[in-house]
Amino acid sequence: MEPKYKRILLKLSGEALAGDKKTGLDYDVMTSFGESIKKCVDAGVEVGVVVGGGNFWRGRSSGAMDRTRADHIGMLATAMNALAVADALENCGLEVRVQTAISMPQVAEPYIRNKAMRHFEKGRVVIFGCGTGNPFFSTDTAAALRAAEIEADIFFKATMVDGVYDKDPHKYSDAVKYDTLSFNDILSKNLAVMDSTAAAMCKDNNIPILVFDLGRPDNIYDACMGMNIGTVVK
Ligand code: UDP
């Protein structure tokens, strides 16, 4: 079977990397993502990954701390996650490079778009750390930005719910799941899928978003193959 997409940008939230522990890192969970990503790469899909940092730190929940400084800490948290995910993916037999938006040449390559493209050509997974490199942004926005830069066919927003609902399915048993949505729906109905900056970035650059559940890690592969899962925003 041919994959539906040639190049994807996968966003892994910090929460997803923590598994049931909710904070820190769960190596088994990261390995399960790696196994699914390996199947995608073996099928010929080029995979870029943006990692979140919420399992360690979120700038906006840092209390009295200066927001810019808190966001710097948040971006460093994503760098830790990028290194950990790289390790788990390598253990699955993948070739991986980490590129960070804040330079730390002793531990990772700096983010250079053309270099990332060259890595994709060679079948390497590129993990993008440190978000956009700027405070006041989120890793969802970083994922939208990197998706545009690497000309990804789609932005996979892998989360802890199996799609977008009209209200929180963890709180309301009558919540209804959408199969498809428009960007205007996301922006006007205030659906808590992602922040408006990230949604607007995808809308302006015509990048579809597939929201799906990482509770089943192999959804990453199924999504690449075009199986009917999650909610598509286009
Ligand atoms: N962050 C930032 N700029 C960016 C991306 C992230 O300042 O471009 C900081 C911000 O403090 C954020 C933290 O890094 O709260 C972790 O990222 P995020 O909350 O998006 O992680 P996730 O919720 O996906 O785990």
Side-chain angles (χ1 to χ4, degrees), residues 11-16 50-61 67-78 81 101 130-142 157 195:
K11 158 75 202 294
L12 296 174
S13 68
E15 191 186 7
V50 166
V51 286
N55 52 327
F56 288 126
W57 186 267
R58 277 203 182 91
R60 60 188 177 278
S61 345
R67 173 68 191 265
T68 299
R69 181 163 291 124
D71 281 345
H72 287 160
I73 298 173
M75 287 187 275
L76 295 177
T78 73
N81 283 338
C130 298
T132 63
N134 299 292
F136 295 96
F137 287 93
S138 66
T139 51
D140 279 356
T141 301
K157 166 129 171 97
D195 54 85

Side-chain angles (χ1 to χ4, degrees), residues 151-209:
E151 296 164 51
D153 299 317
I154 191 157
F155 168 0
F156 281 178
K157 166 129 171 97
T159 66
M160 305 319 280
V161 280
D162 64 348
V164 184
Y165 286 78
D166 60 345
K167 47 194 163 191
D168 186 347
H170 294 310
K171 284 193 199 144
Y172 301 94
S173 57
D174 62 339
V176 178
K177 187 184 143 205
Y178 299 104
D179 286 332
T180 50
L181 280 169
S182 69
F183 286 111
N184 286 339
D185 290 334
I186 295 281
L187 293 165
S188 67
K189 291 184 184 155
N190 234 344
L191 298 168
V193 192
M194 56 174 55
D195 54 85
S196 55
T197 314
M201 180 95 206
C202 288
K203 176 175 184 257
D204 291 349
N205 294 288
N206 237 328
I207 303 164
I209 307 166

Side-chain angles (χ1 to χ4, degrees), residues 9-230:
L9 189 293
L10 170 68
K11 158 75 202 294
L12 296 174
S13 68
E15 191 186 7
L17 305 177
D20 292 338
K21 297 190 294 184
K22 302 286 177 209
T23 59
L25 292 162
D26 184 323
Y27 202 83
D28 291 342
V29 166
M30 293 190 290
T31 301
S32 64
F33 301 153
E35 283 163 354
S36 196
I37 293 170
K38 175 84 167 63
K39 286 164 66 181
C40 302
V41 172
D42 287 347
V45 182
E46 296 175 359
V47 181
V49 180
V50 166
V51 286
N55 52 327
F56 288 126
W57 186 267
R58 277 203 182 91
R60 60 188 177 278
S61 345
S62 56
M65 195 185 292
D66 172 71
R67 173 68 191 265
T68 299
R69 181 163 291 124
D71 281 345
H72 287 160
I73 298 173
M75 287 187 275
L76 295 177
T78 73
M80 293 196 285
N81 283 338
L83 296 174
V85 172
D87 194 89
L89 265 51
E90 280 170 3
N91 252 334
C92 295
L94 286 157
E95 259 210 81
V96 186
R97 293 293 183 272
V98 177
Q99 293 198 343
T100 54
I102 295 173
S103 289
M104 42 183 82
Q106 287 82 358
V107 292
E109 293 179 5
Y111 170 64
I112 298 173
R113 185 263 185 189
N114 285 0
K115 206 163 175 190
M117 300 306 272
R118 190 81 187 103
H119 290 319
F120 292 138
E121 272 173 32
K122 292 182 177 168
R124 295 173 182 152
V125 174
V126 184
I127 303 176
F128 301 109
C130 298
T132 63
N134 299 292
F136 295 96
F137 287 93
S138 66
T139 51
D140 279 356
T141 301
L145 174 63
R146 295 290 178 252
E149 288 181 275
I150 66 167
E151 296 164 51
D153 299 317
I154 191 157
F155 168 0
F156 281 178
K157 166 129 171 97
T159 66
M160 305 319 280
V161 280
D162 64 348
V164 184
Y165 286 78
D166 60 345
K167 47 194 163 191
D168 186 347
H170 294 310
K171 284 193 199 144
Y172 301 94
S173 57
D174 62 339
V176 178
K177 187 184 143 205
Y178 299 104
D179 286 332
T180 50
L181 280 169
S182 69
F183 286 111
N184 286 339
D185 290 334
I186 295 281
L187 293 165
S188 67
K189 291 184 184 155
N190 234 344
L191 298 168
V193 192
M194 56 174 55
D195 54 85
S196 55
T197 314
M201 180 95 206
C202 288
K203 176 175 184 257
D204 291 349
N205 294 288
N206 237 328
I207 303 164
I209 307 166
L210 181 67
V211 182
F212 63 87
D213 182 17
L214 262 187
R216 183 178 170 274
D218 214 27
N219 274 346
I220 300 171
Y221 175 71
D222 286 353
C224 275
M225 299 314 280
M227 308 265 272
N228 194 11
I229 55 169

